[in-house]
Amino acid sequence: MPPTLVLIRHAEALHNVNQEYNIADPELSERGRQQCVQLARHLETQFPAELDVGLILVSPMRRTVETALLSLGSFLQKGVPIQAHASWQENSDKPCDTGSPLDALAREFPQVDFSRVDPVYPDKTSPRAARYRYSRSAILARAQSALAELHDRPEKAVIVVSHSGFLRQGVTGHWYANADYRIYDFAPRASADAPIRLRQWEQTRRGGMGWSPEEAVEIGEDIPEEDVSPPPAP
């Protein structure tokens, strides 16, 4: 049986404060760190008891890694492994959405396993990094690949810390406020070649923290067919 997915958007980062998108791989803002404290308290007291989390995946960017380490202590203390995964990085190739070298990240965050990250990371523009380009086909294919990998995981529940653009446009069609989360099960597929879709838990329709809009959008909406760099999500 496929695992239940808990999808979390990172807390507020420095580029979110004044829409300074030229900050390279930004860290969390002070407000973002406080959001992590709120999220951590919520997860310790209100996270569904029936979910047996066996793995944490995180986009290999500073704001997502910091969010995971500051918010998911209750799971990390139980020994749940945390692994970085390049498929869950953000859409654009602007400085704020381009990661840091893996060796630097591994030194900065020794608690996280970076050994499985695609070695092309953080490249998003060369021919060898075509799967990470900002185009509709690349993002939808990356999302489907990431979901297919999770579908076959043995864990009962997996937490993923990612980004609003990729989660909304590529994976779920739902909006995510900073440091909010949604819970999904895999929806039944009409055929083996049908797109993988998720079915959201009713209790997170406005986000588990209650901070996110309920409105949904079509997956793939507002992503250009060609490889261009959009402004990141506010």
Side-chain angles (χ1 to χ4, degrees), residues 35-212:
Q35 290 171 337
C36 289
V37 172
Q38 293 177 273
L39 178 57
R41 289 172 178 167
H42 173 94
L43 293 175
E44 288 173 4
T45 59
Q46 300 185 48
F47 190 75
E50 68 269 27
L51 290 184
D52 180 13
V53 175
L55 177 67
I56 298 167
L57 293 180
V58 60
S59 160
M61 304 192 75
R62 285 195 171 90
R63 60 189 183 270
T64 41
V65 173
E66 287 182 337
T67 297
L69 295 178
L70 292 173
S71 303
L72 304 178
S74 59
F75 302 98
L76 297 172
Q77 290 170 10
K78 296 176 184 177
V80 177
I82 178 169
Q83 301 172 2
H85 199 305
S87 288
W88 293 93
Q89 64 184 299
E90 185 57 298
N91 293 342
S92 88
D93 60 5
K94 289 184 176 295
C96 65
D97 290 337
T98 301
S100 302
L102 288 173
D103 56 350
L105 292 171
R107 289 193 300 270
E108 188 172 353
F109 303 108
Q111 310 96 312
V112 178
D113 179 4
F114 289 93
S115 67
R116 296 172 173 82
V117 176
D118 186 343
V120 76
Y121 187 87
D123 183 8
K124 300 175 85 169
T125 58
S126 76
R128 63 193 292 262
R131 74 185 303 264
Y132 303 110
R133 288 183 178 175
Y134 185 78
S135 70
R136 191 174 190 273
S137 59
I139 289 172
L140 295 184
R142 173 157 62 96
Q144 285 293 298
S145 174
L147 288 174
E149 183 178 334
L150 286 179
H151 184 278
D152 295 331
R153 294 287 315 189
E155 294 84 7
K156 295 179 180 178
V158 175
I159 294 176
V160 180
V161 185
S162 186
H163 306 264
S164 62
F166 183 63
L167 290 175
R168 180 181 74 256
Q169 295 176 304
V171 181
T172 71
H174 296 125
W175 295 85
Y176 294 73
N178 287 121
D180 208 352
Y181 70 95
R182 297 178 185 272
I183 303 176
Y184 300 87
D185 290 315
F186 283 88
R189 299 172 74 182
S191 63
D193 58 353
I196 300 173
R197 294 288 183 256
L198 301 176
R199 182 173 53 203
Q200 184 174 197
W201 285 27
E202 183 64 33
Q203 68 193 67
T204 63
R205 288 291 176 183
R206 295 190 62 84
M209 301 295 291
W211 296 342
S212 300

